[in-house]
Amino acid sequence: MSGAQPVIVLDKVCKNFGAFRALINVSLSVSKGEKLVVCGPSGSGKSTMIRCINRLEEHDGGHIIVNGHELTKDSRNIDAVRREVGMVFQNFNLFPHLTVIKNLMLAPRLVRHKNKDEARAVAMKYLERVRIPNQADKYPSQLSGGQQQRVAIARALCMNPEIMLFDEPTSALDPEMIAEVLDVMTDLARDGMTMVCVTHEMGFARSVADKIVFMDAGEIVEAATPEAFFTKPQTERARQFLSQILAH
Amino acid sequence: MTLDPQLILDSLPLIAQGLGITLKLLLYSALFGIGLAIITLVMRISGRWYLSWPAQVYIYFFRGTPILVQIFIIYYGLPQFGFIRGSILWPILREPFACCVIALGLNSGAYVSEILRGGVLGVDKGLTEAGKALGLSSPQRFIYITAPIAIRLSLPAYSNEFISTLKATALASTVTLMDVTGVARTLVSQTYAPYEIFIAAAILYLAFAWISYVALAWLEARASRYVKKGN
């Protein structure tokens, strides 16, 4: 995918939580249609990094440019970026007081000003795509974890985003539900969506990712193709991480 | 001294004549209180000191002083000022009923505001983040995500507050209002039978408190219909 226009650029991004340096000079770029998988030990800054891309966290230094909009205090740019970037969270974060279909319709109606019928049609289209159209009128608490996460993916897709961010989307799921979520994500990747995924699912990373970024202690330690990363990791830290995560 | 059950039964319909005023006091001050509570809540969570401080002073004052004192200040105290007697509010402030609604409403507003704030703080931060990520504006997140969930979380505590306000309406009898307690006091001065009359009044309050409990419990169940049982 090299040579394509970068849609996400992070340039020497820093983020501190008090005295703790969560991100230290993180630079990377993601091209249109590229699938980037971010991995690393817990506390390494992966989630902080992905959350900076739609400004759920404010970075303290460096520049972040998403689809041509630089993220600053300017709320117009933040709004513009959030309209184009969908996000899926570890804990699904579905709105518990709304049915599945209303979870999906809320943002298109409020942000895209679609009318009820349009919003419902789009919502049903994506519910079919994540293979649970029959659950439309249930509340999130009535669904399994895997179903909830698929609803969350559909909810993000209803905004027709150009980029999707996944923040450990399978970490809160029972093992038998991980596959159904990864299947949906793999479909999405095949359709050419630009994706940034923080995940420990190395099988998914190997089959879907164009590039793997390995983070440790707030820094990008290694960035390589899956092939290179899994067979010939360049650093001791990456080797250690891989041996731990692939040991079982 | 013996208790005369017949007198209790006989006085019930007489005291019930005060029920209308008690209910009106309760409903008006509860509604006024909810309105005030929402305004002060928004002021408190606005993050702007010049909105948050006045709200906190208001809450501190009305939670920290007895309702009876507040009623007396409004009913006996305010007319001391000439400009209040001359103002367009005077026709309202000279009525004991309006003064009681104002005092009870201001008091209830202070408590309900804190109850709602607890509800807002109880809403999972992840839901607000999901709203942000979807591009919802801050007012949209508050109206469509935070508020509905916060209201559900606040209902059990609000139910207590509503019953407290019901009981506080009895203080209106101190400024000549003929609510349940007011009528009961008049009857006592005529019959010299405080036991029977006040027991009858207590029965009426209990009956209405029970109806309120049932109604609010129904509301709570309805608001929680999406919550998984056992969670």
Side-chain angles (χ1 to χ4, degrees), chain A residues 89 92-100 102-107 110 138-141 148 151 155, chain B residues 123-124 126-134 136 141 144-146 149 226:
Chain A
F89 300 86
F92 330 136
N93 291 340
L94 294 177
F95 306 129
H97 59 300
L98 301 177
T99 57
V100 164
K102 286 188 175 153
N103 261 277
L104 269 63
M105 288 164 64
L106 185 69
L110 294 176
K138 289 196 177 164
Y139 285 101
S141 62
Q148 290 191 50
V151 171
R155 180 176 67 178
Chain B
V123 176
D124 184 354
L127 300 180
T128 325
E129 288 189 342
K132 280 186 192 173
L134 286 165
L136 268 57
R141 294 196 296 270
Y144 292 96
I145 301 169
T146 310
I149 298 170
Y226 59 81

Side-chain angles (χ1 to χ4, degrees), chain A residues 184-201:
Chain A
V184 168
M185 290 169 63
T186 307
D187 282 356
L188 204 55
R190 284 212 189 94
D191 292 349
M193 177 65 78
T194 308
M195 293 164 69
V196 179
C197 313
V198 173
T199 183
H200 297 296
E201 295 300 325

Side-chain angles (χ1 to χ4, degrees), chain A residues 13-54:
Chain A
V13 171
C14 295
K15 169 75 188 171
N16 305 321
F17 293 108
F20 178 70
R21 302 185 70 190
L23 295 178
I24 305 163
N25 288 329
V26 169
S27 298
L28 63 83
S29 80
V30 181
S31 329
K32 192 165 173 51
E34 193 175 19
K35 287 90 184 115
L36 179 75
V37 164
V38 184
C39 62
S42 73
S44 61
K46 336 178 270 297
S47 281
T48 306
M49 194 267 283
I50 202 173
R51 287 161 58 84
C52 280
I53 296 175
N54 64 352

Side-chain angles (χ1 to χ4, degrees), chain B residues 59-76:
Chain B
I59 291 167
Y60 177 73
F61 179 80
F62 281 93
R63 290 208 307 173
T65 53
I67 303 181
L68 188 59
V69 171
Q70 294 160 16
I71 291 177
F72 284 169
I73 288 177
I74 292 171
Y75 185 65
Y76 295 117

Side-chain angles (χ1 to χ4, degrees), chain B residues 126-168:
Chain B
L127 300 180
T128 325
E129 288 189 342
K132 280 186 192 173
L134 286 165
L136 268 57
S137 69
S138 168
Q140 286 173 336
R141 294 196 296 270
F142 186 76
I143 293 168
Y144 292 96
I145 301 169
T146 310
I149 298 170
I151 288 170
R152 171 179 66 82
L153 295 175
S154 304
L155 271 175
Y158 180 73
S159 168
N160 272 336
E161 167 54 29
F162 188 77
I163 306 286
S164 290
T165 308
L166 165 67
K167 291 182 292 184

Side-chain angles (χ1 to χ4, degrees), chain A residues 5-247:
Chain A
Q5 187 70 20
V7 286
I8 304 173
V9 177
L10 274 67
D11 180 29
K12 298 200 180 68
V13 171
C14 295
K15 169 75 188 171
N16 305 321
F17 293 108
F20 178 70
R21 302 185 70 190
L23 295 178
I24 305 163
N25 288 329
V26 169
S27 298
L28 63 83
S29 80
V30 181
S31 329
K32 192 165 173 51
E34 193 175 19
K35 287 90 184 115
L36 179 75
V37 164
V38 184
C39 62
S42 73
S44 61
K46 336 178 270 297
S47 281
T48 306
M49 194 267 283
I50 202 173
R51 287 161 58 84
C52 280
I53 296 175
N54 64 352
R55 210 169 171 89
L56 291 185
E57 303 286 356
E58 277 180 41
H59 56 290
D60 301 317
H63 302 278
I64 301 178
I65 299 158
V66 182
N67 241 0
H69 307 283
E70 169 151 19
L71 282 171
T72 58
K73 293 231 180 290
D74 190 336
S75 64
R76 280 169 307 180
N77 282 1
I78 299 173
D79 291 342
V81 166
R82 286 181 180 161
R83 275 196 298 271
E84 289 155 21
V85 177
M87 187 168 205
V88 175
F89 300 86
Q90 179 175 353
N91 296 315
F92 330 136
N93 291 340
L94 294 177
F95 306 129
H97 59 300
L98 301 177
T99 57
V100 164
I101 189 90
K102 286 188 175 153
N103 261 277
L104 269 63
M105 288 164 64
L106 185 69
R109 294 207 64 192
L110 294 176
V111 182
R112 298 263 193 242
H113 306 294
K114 291 203 158 118
N115 70 38
K116 219 173 185 165
D117 294 335
E118 280 177 311
R120 181 176 290 276
V122 172
M124 284 314 295
K125 178 177 121 190
Y126 285 110
L127 277 183
E128 267 157 39
R129 192 153 162 196
V130 299
R131 301 169 202 139
I132 35 176
N134 50 337
Q135 312 283 8
D137 294 316
K138 289 196 177 164
Y139 285 101
S141 62
Q142 296 170 297
L143 305 184
S144 72
Q147 289 174 327
Q148 290 191 50
Q149 192 61 298
R150 284 186 282 154
V151 171
I153 294 172
R155 180 176 67 178
L157 291 176
C158 280
M159 287 296 284
N160 205 12
E162 305 212 4
I163 299 163
M164 285 284 286
L165 307 176
F166 293 85
D167 188 5
E168 304 207 25
T170 57
S171 298
L173 295 175
D174 293 332
E176 73 269 24
M177 293 171 184
I178 291 177
E180 64 187 59
V181 171
L182 291 181
D183 283 348
V184 168
M185 290 169 63
T186 307
D187 282 356
L188 204 55
R190 284 212 189 94
D191 292 349
M193 177 65 78
T194 308
M195 293 164 69
V196 179
C197 313
V198 173
T199 183
H200 297 296
E201 295 300 325
M202 290 301 125
F204 172 79
R206 202 189 277 263
S207 67
V208 168
D210 297 307
K211 187 162 78 184
I212 297 197
V213 162
F214 172 70
M215 292 183 73
D216 190 24
E219 292 177 292
I220 293 185
V221 178
E222 229 170 283
T225 61
E227 179 63 21
F229 180 70
F230 286 113
T231 53
K232 297 192 279 289
Q234 300 296 306
T235 58
E236 183 52 35
R237 281 192 279 184
R239 269 194 289 277
Q240 226 170 25
F241 174 76
L242 278 174
S243 70
Q244 278 164 353
I245 204 161
L246 298 175

